[in-house]
Amino acid sequence: MYGPEFAADPAATYGKLRAHGNTAPVELAPGVRATLVTGYEAALHVLRSPETFSKDPRRWRDLADGTVAPDSPVVPMMMYRPNALFTDGEEHRRLRGAITDSLARVEPNTLRGYVERSADTLIDLMAPRGRADLLGEYAQVLPLLVFNRLFGCPPDLGERLVEGMSGIFDGVDAEKANELLTVTLLDLIALKRARPGPDMTSWLMAHPAGLTDEEMIHELVVLMGAGTEPQQNLIANSLRLLLSDDRFAGSLGGGSLPVEDALDEVLWTDPPMANYAVHYPKRDVVYEGTLLREGDPVVVSLAAANTDPALTNDQRAGNRAHLAWSAGPHNCPAQSPARLIAAVAVEKLLDRLPDVELAVAVDELEWRPGPFHRALASLPVRFPVAGVAVAAEAREGEAREGVAVRRPVPPVPPASAGAEQPGQPVPPAVRPTGAWARLRAWWRGE
């Protein structure tokens, strides 16, 4: 499940695996054995049976006995961390409560404003060229700007966090990336203990759950992990669908319905985290004739379960019964904010670039290898510059007429470079090309 063949056509792999039944043996990385759950009902059974299936990776036998090396590229995504994702029972409830209570303090209209301003900033940078990579210059950058703003992260730490998180998801020198991420989060926590602000980091720190510094690190890992890579994939996969599927042709500018429909379609067929929700049987379990051994990883294929041929309802628009957000006690606590970010990002881009189109045939788009995500390598598009100029002039006209317009703002204030500016989005430093390089040049005044 880690090579380019799987990345190019995962549906074909799921089809072959279904010959084994609702579960099948797979290899997540060289030498890393697991069982993949491909059936919808079987997935629900695993996700909703914490008395049988644990989320705690300390039960992973092959890692504990050295069969899986600590430097395996999938270990940082599967290893134990004291956060809500990898704990059970009362400890899970305590850690999840800190997350849900802190997320509840994020006001939707404020979040929408963050997304709109970040989107306008990125579109303004792309607009004069008439061509762009909507993955590297938009979908990849926008969630980072928004989340760094939500977490009150200063520029120097934001750049290092992006580098560490990207390395973990890509599985490229993942052990080093995990170390960078840990050290950087320790710096952020120390900063926020000294100077708390109106941000997620400070709210988590002040929560009655009484999180230790170690727990803070790993709670932030799960939040930032869920809010960056999966979020960018949801945005990019939705844009790909809208720009390539005839069902949406001619209706992109017709309001929010096509965008919401596209999000539903993607969450059913190309969920951004396609295979994850790793569980470990607490004892040997026989499920539908298959032995699931104690301590062997059971990975839920959210994508395969959603497309299970046994599902009889083909109506996906408005149908939220998919498993893209998982299910059971470990379902995603940030579903509403994640969907809002993606919807506003897509709507804003289509509003500002109404004539945007793919620059290559849809079947020429490449997908990044990896067992867990469903992620494009790039999303090249083109658009008439004149159409963008009209949109920009309209916004300027609204401003002159006194209409309250959210203007693009530099991601980092130009004054006091290096000083913390709580609540400001941070441009990332990894792969400093395209929009990221131009963002950096902008806030440096170059």
PDB file of all heavy atoms in Angstrom, residues 189-213:
ATOM      1  N   ILE A 189       5.053  25.808  23.419  1.00  0.00           N
ATOM      2  CA  ILE A 189       4.413  25.680  24.735  1.00  0.00           C
ATOM      3  C   ILE A 189       5.090  26.591  25.746  1.00  0.00           C
ATOM      4  O   ILE A 189       4.423  27.275  26.539  1.00  0.00           O
ATOM      5  CB  ILE A 189       4.442  24.209  25.189  1.00  0.00           C
ATOM      6  CG1 ILE A 189       3.500  23.376  24.311  1.00  0.00           C
ATOM      7  CG2 ILE A 189       4.048  24.073  26.655  1.00  0.00           C
ATOM      8  CD1 ILE A 189       3.741  21.888  24.407  1.00  0.00           C
ATOM      9  N   ALA A 190       6.430  26.626  25.738  1.00  0.00           N
ATOM     10  CA  ALA A 190       7.144  27.514  26.659  1.00  0.00           C
ATOM     11  C   ALA A 190       6.778  28.968  26.402  1.00  0.00           C
ATOM     12  O   ALA A 190       6.572  29.760  27.337  1.00  0.00           O
ATOM     13  CB  ALA A 190       8.654  27.305  26.503  1.00  0.00           C
ATOM     14  N   LEU A 191       6.659  29.331  25.130  1.00  0.00           N
ATOM     15  CA  LEU A 191       6.282  30.699  24.770  1.00  0.00           C
ATOM     16  C   LEU A 191       4.890  31.039  25.279  1.00  0.00           C
ATOM     17  O   LEU A 191       4.658  32.123  25.836  1.00  0.00           O
ATOM     18  CB  LEU A 191       6.340  30.841  23.252  1.00  0.00           C
ATOM     19  CG  LEU A 191       6.040  32.217  22.659  1.00  0.00           C
ATOM     20  CD1 LEU A 191       7.087  33.232  23.083  1.00  0.00           C
ATOM     21  CD2 LEU A 191       5.976  32.130  21.141  1.00  0.00           C
ATOM     22  N   LYS A 192       3.946  30.106  25.128  1.00  0.00           N
ATOM     23  CA  LYS A 192       2.570  30.382  25.519  1.00  0.00           C
ATOM     24  C   LYS A 192       2.388  30.328  27.032  1.00  0.00           C
ATOM     25  O   LYS A 192       1.490  30.981  27.574  1.00  0.00           O
ATOM     26  CB  LYS A 192       1.619  29.391  24.834  1.00  0.00           C
ATOM     27  CG  LYS A 192       1.462  29.660  23.344  1.00  0.00           C
ATOM     28  CD  LYS A 192       0.891  31.053  23.113  1.00  0.00           C
ATOM     29  CE  LYS A 192       0.897  31.430  21.659  1.00  0.00           C
ATOM     30  NZ  LYS A 192       0.354  32.789  21.456  1.00  0.00           N
ATOM     31  N   ARG A 193       3.206  29.567  27.718  1.00  0.00           N
ATOM     32  CA  ARG A 193       3.137  29.601  29.190  1.00  0.00           C
ATOM     33  C   ARG A 193       3.586  30.967  29.701  1.00  0.00           C
ATOM     34  O   ARG A 193       3.067  31.480  30.690  1.00  0.00           O
ATOM     35  CB  ARG A 193       3.989  28.489  29.795  1.00  0.00           C
ATOM     36  CG  ARG A 193       3.400  27.101  29.614  1.00  0.00           C
ATOM     37  CD  ARG A 193       3.805  26.146  30.728  1.00  0.00           C
ATOM     38  NE  ARG A 193       3.348  24.788  30.456  1.00  0.00           N
ATOM     39  CZ  ARG A 193       2.125  24.342  30.677  1.00  0.00           C
ATOM     40  NH1 ARG A 193       1.211  25.171  31.172  1.00  0.00           N
ATOM     41  NH2 ARG A 193       1.807  23.091  30.418  1.00  0.00           N
ATOM     42  N   ALA A 194       4.553  31.562  29.002  1.00  0.00           N
ATOM     43  CA  ALA A 194       5.037  32.889  29.396  1.00  0.00           C
ATOM     44  C   ALA A 194       4.090  33.986  28.936  1.00  0.00           C
ATOM     45  O   ALA A 194       3.864  34.968  29.652  1.00  0.00           O
ATOM     46  CB  ALA A 194       6.433  33.123  28.815  1.00  0.00           C
ATOM     47  N   ARG A 195       3.510  33.806  27.732  1.00  0.00           N
ATOM     48  CA  ARG A 195       2.641  34.844  27.161  1.00  0.00           C
ATOM     49  C   ARG A 195       1.411  34.212  26.525  1.00  0.00           C
ATOM     50  O   ARG A 195       1.313  34.099  25.302  1.00  0.00           O
ATOM     51  CB  ARG A 195       3.409  35.651  26.116  1.00  0.00           C
ATOM     52  CG  ARG A 195       4.398  36.642  26.685  1.00  0.00           C
ATOM     53  CD  ARG A 195       5.036  37.447  25.568  1.00  0.00           C
ATOM     54  NE  ARG A 195       6.071  36.701  24.879  1.00  0.00           N
ATOM     55  CZ  ARG A 195       6.596  37.058  23.714  1.00  0.00           C
ATOM     56  NH1 ARG A 195       6.149  38.121  23.078  1.00  0.00           N
ATOM     57  NH2 ARG A 195       7.556  36.338  23.151  1.00  0.00           N
ATOM     58  N   PRO A 196       0.434  33.793  27.323  1.00  0.00           N
ATOM     59  CA  PRO A 196      -0.782  33.195  26.744  1.00  0.00           C
ATOM     60  C   PRO A 196      -1.579  34.224  25.963  1.00  0.00           C
ATOM     61  O   PRO A 196      -1.463  35.433  26.193  1.00  0.00           O
ATOM     62  CB  PRO A 196      -1.556  32.711  27.970  1.00  0.00           C
ATOM     63  CG  PRO A 196      -1.042  33.550  29.105  1.00  0.00           C
ATOM     64  CD  PRO A 196       0.391  33.844  28.791  1.00  0.00           C
ATOM     65  N   GLY A 197      -2.381  33.738  25.026  1.00  0.00           N
ATOM     66  CA  GLY A 197      -3.200  34.626  24.211  1.00  0.00           C
ATOM     67  C   GLY A 197      -4.523  33.971  23.881  1.00  0.00           C
ATOM     68  O   GLY A 197      -4.821  32.859  24.327  1.00  0.00           O
ATOM     69  N   PRO A 198      -5.356  34.626  23.072  1.00  0.00           N
ATOM     70  CA  PRO A 198      -6.658  34.063  22.676  1.00  0.00           C
ATOM     71  C   PRO A 198      -6.488  33.060  21.537  1.00  0.00           C
ATOM     72  O   PRO A 198      -6.890  33.314  20.398  1.00  0.00           O
ATOM     73  CB  PRO A 198      -7.453  35.297  22.241  1.00  0.00           C
ATOM     74  CG  PRO A 198      -6.406  36.227  21.710  1.00  0.00           C
ATOM     75  CD  PRO A 198      -5.171  35.997  22.530  1.00  0.00           C
ATOM     76  N   ASP A 199      -5.902  31.922  21.828  1.00  0.00           N
ATOM     77  CA  ASP A 199      -5.609  30.932  20.796  1.00  0.00           C
ATOM     78  C   ASP A 199      -5.750  29.528  21.369  1.00  0.00           C
ATOM     79  O   ASP A 199      -5.815  29.324  22.581  1.00  0.00           O
ATOM     80  CB  ASP A 199      -4.204  31.156  20.230  1.00  0.00           C
ATOM     81  CG  ASP A 199      -3.140  31.233  21.314  1.00  0.00           C
ATOM     82  OD1 ASP A 199      -2.957  30.234  22.023  1.00  0.00           O
ATOM     83  OD2 ASP A 199      -2.489  32.296  21.447  1.00  0.00           O
ATOM     84  N   MET A 200      -5.785  28.537  20.454  1.00  0.00           N
ATOM     85  CA  MET A 200      -6.001  27.153  20.844  1.00  0.00           C
ATOM     86  C   MET A 200      -4.919  26.644  21.801  1.00  0.00           C
ATOM     87  O   MET A 200      -5.205  25.902  22.742  1.00  0.00           O
ATOM     88  CB  MET A 200      -6.048  26.259  19.601  1.00  0.00           C
ATOM     89  CG  MET A 200      -7.335  26.314  18.815  1.00  0.00           C
ATOM     90  SD  MET A 200      -8.702  25.430  19.623  1.00  0.00           S
ATOM     91  CE  MET A 200      -8.088  23.749  19.602  1.00  0.00           C
ATOM     92  N   THR A 201      -3.672  27.030  21.558  1.00  0.00           N
ATOM     93  CA  THR A 201      -2.586  26.565  22.425  1.00  0.00           C
ATOM     94  C   THR A 201      -2.817  27.019  23.859  1.00  0.00           C
ATOM     95  O   THR A 201      -2.717  26.218  24.804  1.00  0.00           O
ATOM     96  CB  THR A 201      -1.229  27.094  21.913  1.00  0.00           C
ATOM     97  OG1 THR A 201      -1.090  26.794  20.530  1.00  0.00           O
ATOM     98  CG2 THR A 201      -0.089  26.471  22.683  1.00  0.00           C
ATOM     99  N   SER A 202      -3.154  28.276  24.041  1.00  0.00           N
ATOM    100  CA  SER A 202      -3.364  28.813  25.384  1.00  0.00           C
ATOM    101  C   SER A 202      -4.611  28.220  26.027  1.00  0.00           C
ATOM    102  O   SER A 202      -4.627  27.937  27.238  1.00  0.00           O
ATOM    103  CB  SER A 202      -3.484  30.340  25.317  1.00  0.00           C
ATOM    104  OG  SER A 202      -2.321  30.918  24.759  1.00  0.00           O
ATOM    105  N   TRP A 203      -5.666  27.998  25.241  1.00  0.00           N
ATOM    106  CA  TRP A 203      -6.895  27.411  25.795  1.00  0.00           C
ATOM    107  C   TRP A 203      -6.661  25.979  26.258  1.00  0.00           C
ATOM    108  O   TRP A 203      -7.151  25.580  27.313  1.00  0.00           O
ATOM    109  CB  TRP A 203      -8.007  27.459  24.754  1.00  0.00           C
ATOM    110  CG  TRP A 203      -8.410  28.851  24.354  1.00  0.00           C
ATOM    111  CD1 TRP A 203      -8.268  29.992  25.099  1.00  0.00           C
ATOM    112  CD2 TRP A 203      -9.001  29.264  23.115  1.00  0.00           C
ATOM    113  NE1 TRP A 203      -8.737  31.081  24.407  1.00  0.00           N
ATOM    114  CE2 TRP A 203      -9.198  30.670  23.190  1.00  0.00           C
ATOM    115  CE3 TRP A 203      -9.389  28.589  21.967  1.00  0.00           C
ATOM    116  CZ2 TRP A 203      -9.757  31.398  22.151  1.00  0.00           C
ATOM    117  CZ3 TRP A 203      -9.950  29.314  20.912  1.00  0.00           C
ATOM    118  CH2 TRP A 203     -10.125  30.695  21.006  1.00  0.00           C
ATOM    119  N   LEU A 204      -5.921  25.210  25.471  1.00  0.00           N
ATOM    120  CA  LEU A 204      -5.601  23.851  25.893  1.00  0.00           C
ATOM    121  C   LEU A 204      -4.793  23.856  27.188  1.00  0.00           C
ATOM    122  O   LEU A 204      -5.020  23.056  28.094  1.00  0.00           O
ATOM    123  CB  LEU A 204      -4.798  23.142  24.800  1.00  0.00           C
ATOM    124  CG  LEU A 204      -5.563  22.578  23.608  1.00  0.00           C
ATOM    125  CD1 LEU A 204      -4.585  22.154  22.517  1.00  0.00           C
ATOM    126  CD2 LEU A 204      -6.425  21.385  24.022  1.00  0.00           C
ATOM    127  N   MET A 205      -3.873  24.769  27.262  1.00  0.00           N
ATOM    128  CA  MET A 205      -2.995  24.867  28.425  1.00  0.00           C
ATOM    129  C   MET A 205      -3.786  25.201  29.694  1.00  0.00           C
ATOM    130  O   MET A 205      -3.469  24.724  30.782  1.00  0.00           O
ATOM    131  CB  MET A 205      -1.969  25.964  28.146  1.00  0.00           C
ATOM    132  CG  MET A 205      -0.678  25.862  28.904  1.00  0.00           C
ATOM    133  SD  MET A 205       0.471  27.083  28.234  1.00  0.00           S
ATOM    134  CE  MET A 205       0.863  26.355  26.659  1.00  0.00           C
ATOM    135  N   ALA A 206      -4.823  26.016  29.550  1.00  0.00           N
ATOM    136  CA  ALA A 206      -5.605  26.462  30.701  1.00  0.00           C
ATOM    137  C   ALA A 206      -6.768  25.530  31.027  1.00  0.00           C
ATOM    138  O   ALA A 206      -7.486  25.757  32.010  1.00  0.00           O
ATOM    139  CB  ALA A 206      -6.141  27.874  30.434  1.00  0.00           C
ATOM    140  N   HIS A 207      -6.979  24.486  30.246  1.00  0.00           N
ATOM    141  CA  HIS A 207      -8.136  23.613  30.425  1.00  0.00           C
ATOM    142  C   HIS A 207      -8.056  22.863  31.751  1.00  0.00           C
ATOM    143  O   HIS A 207      -6.968  22.492  32.211  1.00  0.00           O
ATOM    144  CB  HIS A 207      -8.230  22.625  29.266  1.00  0.00           C
ATOM    145  CG  HIS A 207      -9.538  21.900  29.210  1.00  0.00           C
ATOM    146  ND1 HIS A 207      -9.763  20.720  29.890  1.00  0.00           N
ATOM    147  CD2 HIS A 207     -10.701  22.193  28.572  1.00  0.00           C
ATOM    148  CE1 HIS A 207     -11.002  20.314  29.666  1.00  0.00           C
ATOM    149  NE2 HIS A 207     -11.590  21.190  28.866  1.00  0.00           N
ATOM    150  N   PRO A 208      -9.200  22.615  32.393  1.00  0.00           N
ATOM    151  CA  PRO A 208      -9.215  21.877  33.671  1.00  0.00           C
ATOM    152  C   PRO A 208      -8.632  20.469  33.580  1.00  0.00           C
ATOM    153  O   PRO A 208      -8.328  19.865  34.613  1.00  0.00           O
ATOM    154  CB  PRO A 208     -10.712  21.811  34.018  1.00  0.00           C
ATOM    155  CG  PRO A 208     -11.320  22.977  33.321  1.00  0.00           C
ATOM    156  CD  PRO A 208     -10.538  23.164  32.056  1.00  0.00           C
ATOM    157  N   ALA A 209      -8.461  19.943  32.373  1.00  0.00           N
ATOM    158  CA  ALA A 209      -7.838  18.623  32.245  1.00  0.00           C
ATOM    159  C   ALA A 209      -6.421  18.614  32.787  1.00  0.00           C
ATOM    160  O   ALA A 209      -5.869  17.542  33.084  1.00  0.00           O
ATOM    161  CB  ALA A 209      -7.837  18.182  30.779  1.00  0.00           C
ATOM    162  N   GLY A 210      -5.818  19.779  32.936  1.00  0.00           N
ATOM    163  CA  GLY A 210      -4.482  19.879  33.520  1.00  0.00           C
ATOM    164  C   GLY A 210      -3.423  19.169  32.701  1.00  0.00           C
ATOM    165  O   GLY A 210      -2.650  18.356  33.226  1.00  0.00           O
ATOM    166  N   LEU A 211      -3.338  19.488  31.418  1.00  0.00           N
ATOM    167  CA  LEU A 211      -2.404  18.803  30.526  1.00  0.00           C
ATOM    168  C   LEU A 211      -0.959  19.102  30.908  1.00  0.00           C
ATOM    169  O   LEU A 211      -0.588  20.247  31.161  1.00  0.00           O
ATOM    170  CB  LEU A 211      -2.647  19.242  29.085  1.00  0.00           C
ATOM    171  CG  LEU A 211      -4.047  19.006  28.514  1.00  0.00           C
ATOM    172  CD1 LEU A 211      -4.135  19.546  27.086  1.00  0.00           C
ATOM    173  CD2 LEU A 211      -4.410  17.534  28.537  1.00  0.00           C
ATOM    174  N   THR A 212      -0.135  18.051  30.939  1.00  0.00           N
ATOM    175  CA  THR A 212       1.298  18.232  31.137  1.00  0.00           C
ATOM    176  C   THR A 212       1.915  18.746  29.838  1.00  0.00           C
ATOM    177  O   THR A 212       1.285  18.740  28.775  1.00  0.00           O
ATOM    178  CB  THR A 212       1.961  16.903  31.506  1.00  0.00           C
ATOM    179  OG1 THR A 212       1.857  15.999  30.391  1.00  0.00           O
ATOM    180  CG2 THR A 212       1.292  16.275  32.733  1.00  0.00           C
ATOM    181  N   ASP A 213       3.182  19.165  29.907  1.00  0.00           N
ATOM    182  CA  ASP A 213       3.850  19.628  28.692  1.00  0.00           C
ATOM    183  C   ASP A 213       3.912  18.515  27.656  1.00  0.00           C
ATOM    184  O   ASP A 213       3.742  18.759  26.459  1.00  0.00           O
ATOM    185  CB  ASP A 213       5.263  20.123  29.018  1.00  0.00           C
ATOM    186  CG  ASP A 213       5.259  21.539  29.590  1.00  0.00           C
ATOM    187  OD1 ASP A 213       4.166  22.118  29.731  1.00  0.00           O
ATOM    188  OD2 ASP A 213       6.352  22.055  29.892  1.00  0.00           O
TER     189      ASP A 213
END
